Amino acid sequence: MASLQETFAQRQNESAAQVNDVYNKQYDAQTAGLKSTYERSMSDAQTAAKAIAPQYQLQANTLAGQYEKARRNANLNAMTSGLASGTGQQQQNALRNQYLTNYGALRGQEAGAVTEANQNMVKLTNDYNAALANARAETEAKRNQSLIENYNNNQNRMDTQAAAMAAYGNFDMYRQLYGDAQADQMRNVWIAQNPDAAFRSGMISKEDYKKLTNKNAVIGGKYRTIYQ
Amino acid sequence: MAEEAKKNIAIEAPQTVTTAAEMKTTAQDPNQFRTAFEQRKQASQGNIQNAFDSSLNTQTQELGQGLQQNLAAQDAQTAASQGQYAFAREDLGTQAARTGAGMDRYADVRGLNRQAGSQQSLMLGRGAATAAGRLAAQQQAAEAESARQKALLTNDYNGRVQAALANRDYSQAAALLDDYNSQNAWLDKNAEAMAAFGNFTGYEYLYGPGQARTMQQFWIGTNPELAYNTGVIDAKRYKEITGRNAPDVKASGGNDYQWYNPYAVGGMPTGGSGGGNTSGGG
């Protein structure tokens, strides 16, 4: 059988392990839901990001088609209305410049959309990591609080048990709690107050009994022989 | 004189004065207490585990049913969408054929030459192909999105099951911790209550036989009659402690060393020479 010290250490370790188990599992429970939510949000964000390029390419194609159509119409007009070559060229240049401006603006918008999508994904990851860190911090705070309570509960339990055991003349728990000097002092006071019980219980010898009471330890005309 | 003696007393360390064999009593079997407590603990833990497992099973069944319903709804939506695309393809073909026929008639009526008619047909063909290509691309995108939604639904389901499992584990661990503390409180309380009746098996379970023996020693010293009557000590020990014969033992002797067996026929000794402790006494 383990000593009291080992019993207490074992009890402390066992209860602390139970507390730790609770908070490890609380962290898992808090974060399990976060992961699937994050994965769904990230999948949506990735799909939206993938859709940007084709969407802008379609707009760019439309823009190019419109430009080509306008350029041909301008050519046709120039031919049919007999515009001078320079005027026709100016029109062509104006159309081309307008097209390039629009095209540039479109690609600028696309770049902006891609940046926003990327930022959104980075934010999702950051938010997810922050939620994990928050859950970790919250769990650790609760775990520490609970471990302190557990430690105090074990100490209170020892105190209560020490008093209960001392009522039966056993001061070993107090010895464990407060050391030999304290326990011996308590035990000696108890023996001095209860010499008969101490002698009958075998805690003191007949010599000690005589020292305490100045009487022989005589019960029924015979020395008690239990303490030998 | 006595006061002076008290001041100078040097009290020796506690000694075990009664051996385990001497302390033997059939009424106080630490294994019985251990078995009873372990059974109690296991039953309590089993109840907790069953309760949370049952709750988890219900949850996962509901989640599974929800997933099947969602996947079925997604499949139905995809099937409806495919039907729409099939109809749109058919419609596109019909429109193209109709437009082509119209153009042919127009060419005939307007007397367009063969080459011009061919160019028109070619343009129409290209337009129809482009429209069909777009339609196919849209359908592919819709199918890909449907597959993605199904994958997300499954992923959500797995996430929810994982969360339910983790919640079960957490709630169960918290309940088991409460139970652990309750069981310990129960142990302490019962060990104390039993000790009041001279039964130290609870303390033996908690702190070992050495500690229990010290306490029992005290209890025997202060309650020799009770200890004798309940079979914790024999008549010889009773006489050693009190200097008197046990209540049911004659001065001439008797079977002082016979342990009282509370489970023997005849039950508890009632005092006097007819008690269970002295059967066969001489």
Side-chain angles (χ1 to χ4, degrees), chain B residues 46 99 127:
Chain B
T99 312

Side-chain angles (χ1 to χ4, degrees), chain B residues 50-113:
Chain B
N50 287 341
F52 285 101
D53 287 351
S54 170
S55 171
L56 176 69
N57 282 342
T58 308
Q59 267 185 297
T60 51
Q61 276 174 10
E62 283 172 3
L63 286 172
Q65 285 167 0
L67 173 67
Q68 293 309 321
Q69 284 171 359
N70 288 337
L71 288 177
Q74 188 64 48
D75 283 341
Q77 196 180 329
T78 306
S81 168
Q82 282 172 341
Q84 283 176 337
Y85 279 109
F87 178 77
R89 268 197 308 277
E90 198 176 314
D91 191 45
L92 196 63
T94 308
Q95 289 291 335
R98 192 178 291 160
T99 312
M103 287 305 294
D104 286 346
R105 281 199 299 277
Y106 178 78
D108 288 345
V109 170
R110 295 292 301 269
L112 290 175
N113 63 32

Side-chain angles (χ1 to χ4, degrees), chain B residues 250-264:
Chain B
K250 290 175 183 171
S252 58
N255 192 358
D256 282 358
Y257 301 97
Q258 187 72 39
W259 288 96
Y260 166 65
N261 180 359
Y263 301 112

Side-chain angles (χ1 to χ4, degrees), chain A residues 23 27 51 73 89 119 148 150 161 186 192 196 219:
Chain A
Y23 288 98
Y27 175 76
N73 283 341
Q89 190 58 45
Q119 282 173 345
I148 290 169
N150 179 61
Q161 294 266 290
M186 293 168 82
D196 289 337
I219 303 169

Side-chain angles (χ1 to χ4, degrees), chain B residues 200-268:
Chain B
F200 295 88
T201 51
Y203 280 114
E204 179 165 350
Y205 178 79
L206 280 167
Y207 302 114
Q211 298 297 329
R213 198 173 298 136
T214 305
M215 297 165 81
Q216 190 183 42
Q217 195 87 334
F218 166 84
W219 184 82
I220 292 169
T222 49
N223 302 281
E225 281 80 16
L226 267 176
Y228 175 73
N229 286 336
T230 52
V232 177
I233 56 171
D234 62 8
K236 182 187 175 192
R237 175 55 42 84
Y238 179 86
K239 192 169 183 179
E240 284 172 350
I241 292 172
T242 63
R244 299 188 304 269
N245 281 330
D248 54 352
V249 177
K250 290 175 183 171
S252 58
N255 192 358
D256 282 358
Y257 301 97
Q258 187 72 39
W259 288 96
Y260 166 65
N261 180 359
Y263 301 112
V265 176
M268 295 285 283

Side-chain angles (χ1 to χ4, degrees), chain A residues 85-102:
Chain A
S85 174
T87 310
Q89 190 58 45
Q90 278 180 346
Q91 274 189 333
Q92 291 288 330
N93 285 344
L95 282 171
R96 179 168 178 74
N97 286 341
Q98 185 59 48
Y99 165 69
L100 288 175
T101 302
N102 292 343

Side-chain angles (χ1 to χ4, degrees), chain B residues 122-257:
Chain B
L122 196 63
M123 282 174 66
L124 281 171
R126 277 184 188 160
T130 305
R134 276 190 192 153
L135 201 61
Q138 283 173 359
Q139 187 175 2
Q140 273 185 348
E143 284 170 359
E145 178 59 16
S146 175
R148 188 179 81 88
Q149 286 299 334
K150 283 177 78 172
L152 283 176
L153 284 170
T154 308
N155 192 47
D156 273 356
Y157 164 76
N158 288 332
R160 283 169 197 266
V161 169
Q162 284 298 317
L165 200 67
N167 268 318
R168 188 278 310 262
D169 287 348
Y170 162 58
S171 306
Q172 197 174 63
L176 285 172
L177 175 62
D178 283 345
D179 183 64
Y180 171 81
N181 289 328
S182 297
Q183 298 287 350
N184 284 333
W186 183 90
L187 259 180
D188 293 352
K189 192 175 147 192
N190 276 277
E192 196 174 347
M194 288 162 71
F197 291 92
N199 186 326
F200 295 88
T201 51
Y203 280 114
E204 179 165 350
Y205 178 79
L206 280 167
Y207 302 114
Q211 298 297 329
R213 198 173 298 136
T214 305
M215 297 165 81
Q216 190 183 42
Q217 195 87 334
F218 166 84
W219 184 82
I220 292 169
T222 49
N223 302 281
E225 281 80 16
L226 267 176
Y228 175 73
N229 286 336
T230 52
V232 177
I233 56 171
D234 62 8
K236 182 187 175 192
R237 175 55 42 84
Y238 179 86
K239 192 169 183 179
E240 284 172 350
I241 292 172
T242 63
R244 299 188 304 269
N245 281 330
D248 54 352
V249 177
K250 290 175 183 171
S252 58
N255 192 358
D256 282 358
Y257 301 97

